[in-house]
Amino acid sequence: MRLKSIMLSIAIVVLTSPVAIAGEPQYPSEFPSTFPQYKGCKMVQIMNFPENITAMLDCGKTSAEDVYAFYLNSAKKDGWKVLMENKTTDFNLMMLEKSNTAMQIQVITEDGAVHLGLSYIQRSN
């Protein structure tokens, strides 16, 4: 139920926000250039909000644990600090920080498919 609530919230935001939908673009240019990109996922949409930019990706039948581990391990190797992790059966979340930049990563499993939400947050000094 919580997953459906999250997806409904995302759908509402998508319908009320400026969104760029495309086939398979790279991360938005505002994302840190060194931020890793899991090769098994395809960009679905980019949402520009006043406080952040969110990219939604479809990872198909990829293992959610593999996607989560990839981002966690890559971020740690690149010097990102893990501020928070929350792992459940179908929803995994981590918040990372490096300098004045934060990234929120959501790995969501629904009906066997893995969806990835990446939110870039530029903090002011």
Side-chain angles (χ1 to χ4, degrees), residues 34-113:
T34 59
F35 201 74
Q37 187 164 2
Y38 192 82
K39 294 183 183 190
C41 301
K42 294 183 180 179
M43 188 73 65
V44 175
Q45 60 189 356
I46 300 166
M47 298 172 278
N48 293 303
F49 301 103
E51 302 296 321
N52 68 56
I53 295 172
T54 298
M56 298 300 295
L57 295 92
D58 179 7
C59 303
K61 301 290 182 184
T62 304
S63 163
E65 289 183 19
D66 288 349
V67 174
Y68 189 86
F70 169 80
Y71 279 98
L72 181 62
N73 295 332
S74 297
K76 285 180 176 180
K77 285 179 188 173
D78 194 34
W80 290 81
K81 179 181 176 184
V82 178
L83 299 177
M84 178 195 72
E85 285 188 81
N86 182 21
K87 295 179 80 175
T88 65
T89 304
D90 296 328
F91 180 79
N92 298 311
L93 169 73
M94 75 178 89
M95 179 68 87
L96 307 169
E97 180 180 59
K98 186 175 179 182
S99 300
N100 285 333
T101 302
M103 292 290 294
Q104 178 178 309
I105 301 169
Q106 301 174 19
V107 181
I108 304 162
T109 305
E110 185 172 41
D111 297 328

